[in-house]
């Protein structure tokens, strides 16, 4: 089978994990907790899409579940957090705008993970 067949299948097997959150920042302690949560996301390879939306490319469903589990382990005591997994194909269909000007969606980064 040709290469385009495999790349098409890969677009359905690889996933993006998106983490959405709305955390309280009323007190100094709340701000510290929210900041630590964001730092843990960055340390786990997530990138900021918007201030309270972070995303991470994962090559397989198993890998996506590992990172989703890490987010669940680090959930702050207060606030709202959502975790969503979408295929690379779905992510590629997203339209992103800066004002009225369309922007290119990010290509997945090649990550090397050692366990």
């Amino acid at each position: 089978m040709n290469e385009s067949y495999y790349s098409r299948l890969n677009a359905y097997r690889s996933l993006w994990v998106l983490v959405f959150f709305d955390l309280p920042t009323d007190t100094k302690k709340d701000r510290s907790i929210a900041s630590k949560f964001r730092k843990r996301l960055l340390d786990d390879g997530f990138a900021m899409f918007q201030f309270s939306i972070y995303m991470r490319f994962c090559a397989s469903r198993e890998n996506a579940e590992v990172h989703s589990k890490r987010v669940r382990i680090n959930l702050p005591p207060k606030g709202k957090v959502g975790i969503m997994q979408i295929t690379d194909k779905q992510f590629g269909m997203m339209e992103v705008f800066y004002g009225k000007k369309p922007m290119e969606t990010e290509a997945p980064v090649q990550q090397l993970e050692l366990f």
Side-chain angles (χ1 to χ4, degrees):
M1 300 192 175
N2 64 21
E3 186 177 322
S4 66
Y5 174 79
Y6 289 112
S7 63
R8 183 178 64 82
L9 287 180
N10 190 37
Y12 292 100
R13 292 192 63 218
S14 54
L15 298 170
W16 287 86
V17 178
L18 290 99
V19 178
F20 311 90
F21 55 90
D22 187 13
L23 303 178
T25 56
D26 299 327
T27 67
K28 188 174 182 177
K29 182 178 179 182
D30 286 342
R31 287 189 295 276
S32 174
I33 289 170
S35 180
K36 286 178 185 174
F37 182 71
R38 283 193 296 275
K39 181 160 179 11
R40 286 185 183 126
L41 290 173
L42 293 170
D43 289 345
D44 193 30
F46 283 83
M48 187 190 323
F49 183 73
Q50 291 184 350
F51 186 68
S52 61
I53 302 173
Y54 284 67
M55 61 186 185
R56 186 184 201 291
F57 178 77
C58 296
S60 68
R61 184 164 305 281
E62 295 80 13
N63 185 250
E65 190 52 42
V66 166
H67 295 287
S68 294
K69 184 177 179 181
R70 286 186 190 152
V71 173
R72 288 191 297 273
I73 288 170
N74 292 310
L75 288 173
K78 296 188 277 184
K80 189 174 186 179
V81 178
I83 304 169
M84 181 170 58
Q85 297 177 6
I86 61 172
T87 65
D88 189 40
K89 184 70 171 177
Q90 291 167 319
F91 185 83
M93 293 186 297
M94 177 176 29
E95 291 183 278
V96 180
F97 295 87
Y98 186 75
K100 292 188 176 193
K101 188 175 183 176
M103 295 180 63
E104 292 289 324
T105 54
E106 288 187 30
V109 295
Q110 295 298 321
Q111 296 182 357
L112 175 63
E113 291 189 21
L114 303 174
F115 296 93

